[in-house]
Amino acid sequence: MINLDIKSLYESELKELLVGMGEKPFKGKQIYEWLHKKTVGSYEEMTNLSLKLREQLKQEQPLTRLEPVDVQTSRIDGTQKYLFRLSDGNVIESVWMKYKHGNSVCISSQVGCRMGCRFCASTIGGLTRNLLPSEMLDQVYRIQELTGERVSNVVVMGTGEPMDNYDNLLRFIRILSDGNGQNISQRNLTVSTCGIVPRIRQLAEEGLTITLALSLHAPTDEKRSELMPIANKYSLSEVIPACAYYFEKTGRRLTFEYSLVGGKNDSEEDAAQLAKLVEGLNCHVNLIPVNPIKERDFVQSEKKVIENFKNKLEKYRINVTIRREMGRDIDGACGQLRKKYIDTRENLS
Ligand code: SAH
Protein backbone atom coordinates (compact mmCIF):
# COMPACT_ATOMS: atom_id res chain seq x y z
CA MET A 1 0.00 0.00 0.00
CA ILE A 2 1.28 3.46 -0.87
CA ASN A 3 1.84 5.61 2.15
CA LEU A 4 1.05 9.00 0.67
CA ASP A 5 -1.62 11.63 1.21
CA ILE A 6 -4.57 11.67 -1.17
CA LYS A 7 -3.31 14.68 -3.14
CA SER A 8 -0.09 12.85 -3.97
CA LEU A 9 -1.80 9.88 -5.64
CA TYR A 10 -2.08 9.21 -9.37
CA GLU A 11 -5.57 8.98 -10.77
CA SER A 12 -5.32 5.19 -11.09
CA GLU A 13 -4.32 4.88 -7.43
CA LEU A 14 -7.13 7.17 -6.36
CA LYS A 15 -9.60 4.98 -8.23
CA GLU A 16 -8.23 1.92 -6.43
CA LEU A 17 -8.53 3.71 -3.13
CA LEU A 18 -12.19 4.52 -3.78
CA VAL A 19 -12.91 0.97 -4.92
CA GLY A 20 -11.38 -0.17 -1.64
CA MET A 21 -13.88 2.08 0.13
CA GLY A 22 -16.73 0.35 -1.70
CA GLU A 23 -17.22 3.12 -4.27
CA LYS A 24 -17.22 3.11 -8.07
CA PRO A 25 -13.89 3.95 -9.78
CA PHE A 26 -15.33 7.11 -11.40
CA LYS A 27 -15.59 8.63 -7.93
CA GLY A 28 -11.81 8.50 -7.89
CA LYS A 29 -11.69 10.35 -11.18
CA GLN A 30 -14.05 13.01 -9.84
CA ILE A 31 -11.95 13.51 -6.72
CA TYR A 32 -8.77 13.66 -8.79
CA GLU A 33 -10.27 16.45 -10.87
CA TRP A 34 -11.43 18.35 -7.80
CA LEU A 35 -7.92 18.13 -6.40
CA HIS A 36 -5.83 18.75 -9.49
CA LYS A 37 -8.00 20.45 -12.11
CA LYS A 38 -10.23 22.66 -9.97
CA THR A 39 -7.68 22.61 -7.11
CA VAL A 40 -10.21 22.96 -4.31
CA GLY A 41 -9.02 23.06 -0.73
CA SER A 42 -11.63 20.98 1.08
CA TYR A 43 -13.92 17.97 0.69
CA GLU A 44 -16.94 20.23 1.36
CA GLU A 45 -16.43 21.78 -2.05
CA MET A 46 -16.64 18.43 -3.84
CA THR A 47 -20.35 18.81 -4.43
CA ASN A 48 -20.85 15.81 -6.71
CA LEU A 49 -19.88 13.43 -3.89
CA SER A 50 -22.41 12.30 -1.32
CA LEU A 51 -22.27 13.95 2.07
CA LYS A 52 -21.49 10.56 3.58
CA LEU A 53 -18.50 10.00 1.30
CA ARG A 54 -17.20 13.52 1.93
CA GLU A 55 -17.45 12.90 5.66
CA GLN A 56 -15.70 9.52 5.38
CA LEU A 57 -12.88 11.00 3.29
CA LYS A 58 -12.46 13.80 5.79
CA GLN A 59 -11.98 11.24 8.55
CA GLU A 60 -9.79 8.79 6.66
CA GLN A 61 -7.85 10.95 4.19
CA PRO A 62 -6.96 14.30 5.72
CA LEU A 63 -6.56 16.93 3.02
CA THR A 64 -3.68 19.30 3.62
CA ARG A 65 -3.11 22.67 2.07
CA LEU A 66 -0.29 25.20 2.08
CA GLU A 67 -1.07 28.38 3.97
CA PRO A 68 0.58 31.63 2.89
CA VAL A 69 2.24 33.32 5.88
CA ASP A 70 4.06 36.08 4.06
CA VAL A 71 4.09 37.57 0.57
CA GLN A 72 6.62 40.07 -0.68
CA THR A 73 6.11 41.93 -3.94
CA SER A 74 9.00 43.48 -5.82
CA ARG A 75 8.49 47.12 -6.70
CA ILE A 76 11.00 46.70 -9.51
CA ASP A 77 9.45 43.91 -11.57
CA GLY A 78 6.33 42.61 -9.79
CA THR A 79 8.00 39.33 -8.77
CA GLN A 80 6.29 37.85 -5.74
CA LYS A 81 7.87 35.70 -3.10
CA TYR A 82 5.58 33.49 -1.04
CA LEU A 83 6.35 31.93 2.29
CA PHE A 84 4.04 28.95 2.85
CA ARG A 85 3.40 27.03 6.03
CA LEU A 86 3.14 23.23 5.73
CA SER A 87 0.76 21.19 7.89
CA ASP A 88 3.62 20.24 10.26
CA GLY A 89 4.58 23.89 10.82
CA ASN A 90 7.66 23.95 8.57
CA VAL A 91 7.90 26.81 6.12
CA ILE A 92 9.00 26.85 2.48
CA GLU A 93 9.26 29.51 -0.17
CA SER A 94 8.13 29.82 -3.76
CA VAL A 95 8.57 32.61 -6.26
CA TRP A 96 6.13 33.92 -8.87
CA MET A 97 7.60 35.74 -11.86
CA LYS A 98 5.79 37.51 -14.64
CA TYR A 99 7.40 37.34 -18.07
CA LYS A 100 6.20 38.41 -21.49
CA HIS A 101 5.81 34.77 -22.51
CA GLY A 102 3.77 33.84 -19.43
CA ASN A 103 3.87 33.38 -15.69
CA SER A 104 6.50 31.26 -14.11
CA VAL A 105 6.71 29.72 -10.64
CA CYS A 106 9.89 28.59 -8.94
CA ILE A 107 9.13 25.88 -6.39
CA SER A 108 10.98 24.25 -3.52
CA SER A 109 11.46 20.48 -3.49
CA GLN A 110 12.66 19.99 0.10
CA VAL A 111 12.52 21.72 3.48
CA GLY A 112 16.16 22.80 3.62
CA CYS A 113 18.86 20.97 1.69
CA ARG A 114 21.83 18.74 2.45
CA MET A 115 23.98 19.50 -0.58
CA GLY A 116 25.96 22.24 1.16
CA CYS A 117 26.71 24.55 -1.79
CA ARG A 118 28.82 27.31 -0.29
CA PHE A 119 26.98 30.33 -1.70
CA CYS A 120 23.44 29.05 -1.07
CA ALA A 121 21.26 30.17 1.84
CA SER A 122 18.92 27.15 1.59
CA THR A 123 21.49 24.70 2.81
CA ILE A 124 22.70 26.46 5.94
CA GLY A 125 20.36 24.66 8.35
CA GLY A 126 20.72 21.33 6.53
CA LEU A 127 17.87 19.13 5.36
CA THR A 128 14.71 18.95 7.46
CA ARG A 129 12.62 16.72 5.21
CA ASN A 130 11.50 15.97 1.69
CA LEU A 131 8.41 17.64 0.32
CA LEU A 132 5.49 15.43 -0.65
CA PRO A 133 4.27 15.56 -4.25
CA SER A 134 1.14 17.33 -2.93
CA GLU A 135 3.28 20.00 -1.26
CA MET A 136 5.14 20.67 -4.50
CA LEU A 137 1.89 20.79 -6.47
CA ASP A 138 0.22 23.04 -3.94
CA GLN A 139 2.89 25.72 -4.42
CA VAL A 140 1.69 26.07 -8.01
CA TYR A 141 -2.01 25.66 -7.17
CA ARG A 142 -2.02 28.20 -4.36
CA ILE A 143 -0.07 30.79 -6.33
CA GLN A 144 -2.54 30.50 -9.21
CA GLU A 145 -5.34 31.00 -6.75
CA LEU A 146 -3.72 33.91 -4.93
CA THR A 147 -2.69 35.78 -8.07
CA GLY A 148 -5.78 34.82 -10.06
CA GLU A 149 -3.51 34.07 -12.99
CA ARG A 150 -2.57 30.91 -14.78
CA VAL A 151 0.96 29.58 -14.43
CA SER A 152 2.50 28.34 -17.67
CA ASN A 153 6.09 27.58 -16.61
CA VAL A 154 7.40 25.82 -13.56
CA VAL A 155 11.03 25.59 -12.51
CA VAL A 156 12.17 23.34 -9.69
CA MET A 157 14.92 25.72 -8.62
CA GLY A 158 13.85 26.76 -5.15
CA THR A 159 15.11 25.29 -1.90
CA GLY A 160 16.21 21.66 -2.05
CA GLU A 161 17.85 19.20 -4.40
CA PRO A 162 15.06 17.68 -6.50
CA MET A 163 17.11 14.58 -7.36
CA ASP A 164 17.47 13.91 -3.64
CA ASN A 165 13.66 13.58 -3.54
CA TYR A 166 13.40 11.67 -6.79
CA ASP A 167 10.22 9.59 -6.41
CA ASN A 168 8.16 12.51 -5.16
CA LEU A 169 9.59 14.75 -7.89
CA LEU A 170 8.44 12.29 -10.53
CA ARG A 171 4.92 12.18 -9.17
CA PHE A 172 4.89 15.95 -9.08
CA ILE A 173 5.93 16.18 -12.74
CA ARG A 174 3.43 13.57 -13.93
CA ILE A 175 0.48 14.99 -12.00
CA LEU A 176 1.25 18.62 -12.92
CA SER A 177 1.41 17.78 -16.62
CA ASP A 178 -1.59 15.44 -16.57
CA GLY A 179 -4.51 16.33 -18.85
CA ASN A 180 -6.95 15.68 -16.00
CA GLY A 181 -4.98 18.07 -13.82
CA GLN A 182 -3.38 21.41 -14.63
CA ASN A 183 -2.10 20.10 -17.94
CA ILE A 184 1.07 22.20 -17.76
CA SER A 185 3.27 21.09 -20.63
CA GLN A 186 6.38 19.17 -19.63
CA ARG A 187 8.24 21.32 -22.12
CA ASN A 188 7.56 24.23 -19.81
CA LEU A 189 8.98 22.45 -16.81
CA THR A 190 12.61 22.65 -15.74
CA VAL A 191 14.35 20.65 -13.06
CA SER A 192 17.65 21.97 -11.76
CA THR A 193 20.18 19.69 -10.13
CA CYS A 194 23.60 20.07 -8.57
CA GLY A 195 24.57 16.93 -10.50
CA ILE A 196 23.58 13.62 -8.93
CA VAL A 197 24.76 11.43 -11.78
CA PRO A 198 22.74 8.19 -11.30
CA ARG A 199 19.53 10.22 -10.96
CA ILE A 200 20.25 12.22 -14.13
CA ARG A 201 20.64 8.96 -16.00
CA GLN A 202 17.48 7.56 -14.43
CA LEU A 203 15.51 10.69 -15.32
CA ALA A 204 16.64 10.29 -18.93
CA GLU A 205 14.82 6.94 -19.02
CA GLU A 206 11.46 8.15 -17.73
CA GLY A 207 10.04 9.20 -21.09
CA LEU A 208 9.61 12.81 -20.02
CA THR A 209 10.12 15.97 -22.06
CA ILE A 210 11.17 18.31 -19.27
CA THR A 211 14.27 20.49 -19.42
CA LEU A 212 17.27 19.49 -17.35
CA ALA A 213 19.34 22.27 -15.86
CA LEU A 214 22.69 21.45 -14.36
CA SER A 215 24.27 23.72 -11.78
CA LEU A 216 27.81 23.80 -13.09
CA HIS A 217 29.32 26.93 -11.52
CA ALA A 218 32.93 25.99 -12.30
CA PRO A 219 34.79 24.47 -15.26
CA THR A 220 37.12 22.14 -13.30
CA ASP A 221 36.55 19.62 -10.50
CA GLU A 222 39.02 21.44 -8.32
CA LYS A 223 37.22 24.77 -8.51
CA ARG A 224 33.81 23.17 -8.47
CA SER A 225 34.47 21.30 -5.26
CA GLU A 226 35.37 24.56 -3.54
CA LEU A 227 31.85 25.77 -4.23
CA MET A 228 29.87 22.52 -4.29
CA PRO A 229 30.66 19.51 -2.07
CA ILE A 230 28.78 17.23 -4.49
CA ALA A 231 31.73 17.69 -6.89
CA ASN A 232 33.77 15.47 -4.57
CA LYS A 233 31.33 12.67 -5.20
CA TYR A 234 30.70 13.03 -8.93
CA SER A 235 33.40 14.41 -11.18
CA LEU A 236 32.74 16.46 -14.29
CA SER A 237 33.92 13.48 -16.33
CA GLU A 238 30.81 11.69 -15.07
CA VAL A 239 28.39 14.63 -14.86
CA ILE A 240 28.84 15.96 -18.39
CA PRO A 241 28.36 12.55 -20.09
CA ALA A 242 25.23 12.02 -17.95
CA CYS A 243 23.87 15.32 -19.30
CA ALA A 244 24.79 14.31 -22.84
CA TYR A 245 22.92 11.06 -22.25
CA TYR A 246 19.88 13.04 -21.08
CA PHE A 247 19.92 14.97 -24.35
CA GLU A 248 20.41 11.81 -26.37
CA LYS A 249 17.39 10.17 -24.74
CA THR A 250 15.01 13.14 -24.63
CA GLY A 251 16.16 15.48 -27.39
CA ARG A 252 15.79 18.34 -24.91
CA ARG A 253 18.41 21.06 -25.05
CA LEU A 254 20.41 21.23 -21.85
CA THR A 255 20.76 24.23 -19.61
CA PHE A 256 23.94 24.87 -17.67
CA GLU A 257 23.68 27.30 -14.81
CA TYR A 258 26.79 29.17 -13.90
CA SER A 259 26.67 31.53 -10.93
CA LEU A 260 29.46 34.06 -11.26
CA VAL A 261 31.32 34.64 -8.02
CA GLY A 262 33.72 37.58 -8.02
CA GLY A 263 37.35 36.42 -8.23
CA LYS A 264 36.40 32.72 -7.91
CA ASN A 265 35.10 31.43 -11.21
CA ASP A 266 34.78 34.50 -13.44
CA SER A 267 38.16 34.80 -15.21
CA GLU A 268 38.67 34.61 -18.97
CA GLU A 269 40.46 31.32 -18.43
CA ASP A 270 37.40 29.97 -16.61
CA ALA A 271 35.27 31.01 -19.57
CA ALA A 272 37.60 29.30 -22.03
CA GLN A 273 37.64 26.11 -19.96
CA LEU A 274 33.86 26.21 -19.64
CA ALA A 275 33.51 26.56 -23.41
CA LYS A 276 35.74 23.52 -23.93
CA LEU A 277 33.79 21.54 -21.34
CA VAL A 278 30.40 22.00 -22.99
CA GLU A 279 31.67 22.13 -26.57
CA GLY A 280 29.61 20.04 -28.95
CA LEU A 281 26.64 19.69 -26.59
CA ASN A 282 23.26 21.05 -27.54
CA CYS A 283 23.08 23.47 -24.66
CA HIS A 284 22.50 26.90 -23.33
CA VAL A 285 24.57 28.54 -20.61
CA ASN A 286 22.77 30.73 -18.11
CA LEU A 287 25.06 33.13 -16.27
CA ILE A 288 23.75 34.15 -12.86
CA PRO A 289 25.46 36.98 -10.98
CA VAL A 290 25.80 35.39 -7.52
CA ASN A 291 23.34 36.77 -5.02
CA PRO A 292 25.46 37.52 -1.93
CA ILE A 293 24.14 36.11 1.36
CA LYS A 294 25.14 37.57 4.67
CA GLU A 295 26.49 34.28 6.07
CA ARG A 296 29.21 34.10 3.38
CA ASP A 297 31.66 36.56 1.98
CA PHE A 298 31.14 35.84 -1.72
CA VAL A 299 30.78 38.92 -3.89
CA GLN A 300 29.21 39.51 -7.28
CA SER A 301 31.46 39.82 -10.29
CA GLU A 302 31.67 43.30 -11.71
CA LYS A 303 29.35 44.11 -14.62
CA LYS A 304 32.30 44.42 -16.98
CA VAL A 305 33.68 41.03 -15.92
CA ILE A 306 30.27 39.41 -16.49
CA GLU A 307 30.04 40.94 -19.98
CA ASN A 308 33.58 39.77 -20.79
CA PHE A 309 32.77 36.26 -19.61
CA LYS A 310 29.72 36.20 -21.85
CA ASN A 311 31.64 37.56 -24.84
CA LYS A 312 34.35 34.97 -24.41
CA LEU A 313 31.78 32.15 -24.43
CA GLU A 314 30.16 33.63 -27.52
CA LYS A 315 33.53 33.61 -29.27
CA TYR A 316 33.42 29.85 -28.83
CA ARG A 317 29.87 29.86 -30.25
CA ILE A 318 28.22 28.87 -27.00
CA ASN A 319 24.58 29.95 -26.52
CA VAL A 320 24.70 32.15 -23.48
CA THR A 321 22.49 34.60 -21.62
CA ILE A 322 22.88 36.57 -18.43
CA ARG A 323 19.94 35.82 -16.19
CA ARG A 324 17.85 38.86 -15.46
CA GLU A 325 17.82 39.36 -11.75
CA MET A 326 14.23 39.26 -10.61
CA GLY A 327 13.05 40.58 -7.28
CA ARG A 328 16.40 41.84 -6.03
CA ASP A 329 14.56 43.98 -3.48
CA ILE A 330 12.65 41.06 -1.92
CA ASP A 331 15.21 38.53 -0.70
CA GLY A 332 15.10 37.01 -4.19
CA ALA A 333 17.88 34.45 -3.72
CA CYS A 334 17.09 30.87 -2.76
CA GLY A 335 16.20 30.40 0.85
CA GLN A 336 16.70 33.94 2.05
CA LEU A 337 13.12 34.75 2.97
CA ARG A 338 12.68 31.43 4.76
CA LYS A 339 15.96 31.88 6.58
CA LYS A 340 14.99 35.35 7.72
CA TYR A 341 11.64 34.03 8.98
CA ILE A 342 13.27 31.18 10.91
CA ASP A 343 15.98 33.44 12.37
CA THR A 344 13.38 35.96 13.54
CA ARG A 345 11.24 33.22 15.07
CA GLU A 346 14.26 31.80 16.90
CA ASN A 347 15.23 35.21 18.22
CA LEU A 348 11.73 35.70 19.58
CA SER A 349 11.57 32.38 21.40
N1 SAH B 1 19.56 21.99 -5.87
C1 SAH B 1 19.27 22.38 -7.19
C2 SAH B 1 18.17 23.41 -7.35
C3 SAH B 1 18.09 24.54 -6.38
S1 SAH B 1 19.18 25.91 -6.52
C4 SAH B 1 20.53 22.83 -7.89
O1 SAH B 1 21.58 22.84 -7.27
O2 SAH B 1 20.48 23.12 -9.07
C5 SAH B 1 18.82 26.73 -8.02
C6 SAH B 1 20.03 27.44 -8.61
O3 SAH B 1 20.37 28.62 -7.84
C7 SAH B 1 21.27 26.58 -8.59
O4 SAH B 1 21.97 26.73 -9.80
C8 SAH B 1 22.05 27.15 -7.43
O5 SAH B 1 23.39 26.82 -7.48
C9 SAH B 1 21.76 28.62 -7.56
N2 SAH B 1 22.00 29.44 -6.37
C10 SAH B 1 21.80 29.14 -5.08
N3 SAH B 1 22.14 30.16 -4.28
C11 SAH B 1 22.57 31.14 -5.08
C12 SAH B 1 23.06 32.45 -4.85
N4 SAH B 1 23.18 32.94 -3.63
N5 SAH B 1 23.42 33.18 -5.93
C13 SAH B 1 23.28 32.68 -7.18
N6 SAH B 1 22.82 31.47 -7.47
C14 SAH B 1 22.48 30.69 -6.43
Side-chain angles (χ1 to χ4, degrees):
M1 192 56 211
I2 307 149
N3 192 17
L4 283 170
D5 64 298
I6 191 164
K7 213 194 282 186
S8 295
L9 300 182
Y10 291 126
E11 188 176 328
S12 58
E13 296 165 343
L14 201 40
K15 283 180 180 162
E16 275 172 37
L17 179 81
L18 268 288
V19 169
M21 290 169 73
E23 299 284 338
K24 293 259 159 33
F26 82 93
K27 285 285 154 202
K29 179 174 197 270
Q30 286 177 331
I31 296 168
Y32 187 87
E33 288 183 353
W34 281 115
L35 293 175
H36 301 292
K37 193 177 253 173
K38 302 185 192 98
T39 67
V40 299
S42 69
Y43 288 116
E44 278 83 39
E45 291 159 84
M46 303 186 182
T47 45
N48 55 2
L49 308 183
S50 70
L51 277 175
K52 188 173 148 278
L53 180 57
R54 281 185 251 170
E55 200 45 50
Q56 190 185 353
L57 285 165
K58 212 167 137 183
Q59 298 301 325
E60 294 174 12
Q61 300 291 336
L63 193 54
T64 61
R65 198 163 201 237
L66 302 191
E67 292 304 331
V69 284
D70 192 9
V71 186
Q72 296 187 344
T73 303
S74 164
R75 261 172 262 153
I76 305 170
D77 52 38
T79 294
Q80 290 191 325
K81 189 138 200 180
Y82 288 86
L83 193 70
F84 287 114
R85 186 186 295 114
L86 309 175
S87 56
D88 64 359
N90 279 305
V91 290
I92 55 166
E93 56 183 67
S94 325
V95 187
W96 183 74
M97 291 159 287
K98 238 177 138 67
Y99 292 104
K100 274 195 235 75
H101 61 264
N103 299 321
S104 182
V105 167
C106 172
I107 69 147
S108 294
S109 55
Q110 295 180 313
V111 182
C113 183
R114 59 182 180 139
M115 295 299 134
C117 297
R118 299 282 302 146
F119 44 79
C120 180
S122 295
T123 201
I124 289 170
L127 174 69
T128 304
R129 70 167 173 89
N130 282 330
L131 288 184
L132 291 161
S134 58
E135 293 167 330
M136 290 190 246
L137 291 163
D138 233 20
Q139 295 174 58
V140 180
Y141 298 175
R142 294 305 315 257
I143 287 180
Q144 289 195 138
E145 220 176 284
L146 293 161
T147 59
E149 293 194 35
R150 174 147 172 96
V151 166
S152 53
N153 291 269
V154 175
V155 295
V156 188
M157 286 190 187
T159 297
E161 169 49 47
M163 300 292 200
D164 193 31
N165 186 14
Y166 188 85
D167 293 345
N168 288 348
L169 172 77
L170 235 71
R171 276 180 183 268
F172 163 76
I173 295 168
R174 295 207 161 112
I175 296 176
L176 190 70
S177 57
D178 187 5
N180 280 343
Q182 287 302 301
N183 200 13
I184 294 178
S185 166
Q186 285 186 7
R187 294 178 165 269
N188 295 344
L189 232 156
T190 300
V191 170
S192 175
T193 176
C194 62
I196 300 181
V197 169
R199 295 285 96 78
I200 295 176
R201 290 187 171 270
Q202 197 177 345
L203 192 70
E205 308 281 354
E206 303 281 359
L208 303 172
T209 54
I210 63 167
T211 298
L212 178 73
L214 177 82
S215 296
L216 201 48
H217 305 328
T220 63
D221 286 324
E222 202 190 340
K223 277 204 172 174
R224 198 162 180 258
S225 54
E226 280 172 28
L227 297 170
M228 309 172 72
I230 194 73
N232 294 311
K233 188 151 184 202
Y234 302 109
S235 69
L236 289 170
S237 65
E238 299 168 278
V239 178
I240 299 296
C243 292
Y245 182 69
Y246 187 84
F247 174 74
E248 194 186 300
K249 282 287 184 186
T250 62
R252 301 290 295 156
R253 183 169 83 158
L254 301 159
T255 296
F256 292 111
E257 294 161 280
Y258 195 103
S259 295
L260 287 159
V261 185
K264 278 260 174 214
N265 62 0
D266 61 350
S267 71
E268 289 208 1
E269 197 197 342
D270 292 322
Q273 286 177 329
L274 173 61
K276 281 264 168 320
L277 186 68
V278 302
E279 196 178 27
L281 289 173
N282 191 332
C283 72
H284 171 255
V285 174
N286 210 336
L287 300 175
I288 314 163
V290 80
N291 208 330
I293 56 172
K294 71 173 192 315
E295 291 80 3
R296 305 274 188 265
D297 55 5
F298 292 129
V299 292
Q300 256 187 24
S301 309
E302 280 168 40
K303 271 220 149 54
K304 207 175 79 233
V305 173
I306 299 177
E307 278 301 326
N308 271 345
F309 198 93
K310 176 172 179 266
N311 292 340
K312 186 91 184 171
L313 287 178
E314 279 173 342
K315 280 210 184 86
Y316 286 93
R317 301 182 185 283
I318 306 288
N319 288 310
V320 51
T321 46
I322 300 171
R323 183 179 295 171
R324 240 173 79 205
E325 287 181 84
M326 305 286 280
R328 261 314 287 275
D329 53 333
I330 53 162
D331 301 308
C334 299
Q336 289 190 24
L337 178 60
R338 173 173 169 264
K339 178 114 199 352
K340 198 157 86 183
Y341 178 84
I342 295 170
D343 289 351
T344 317
R345 206 167 47 176
E346 278 170 3
N347 286 341
L348 290 176
S349 60

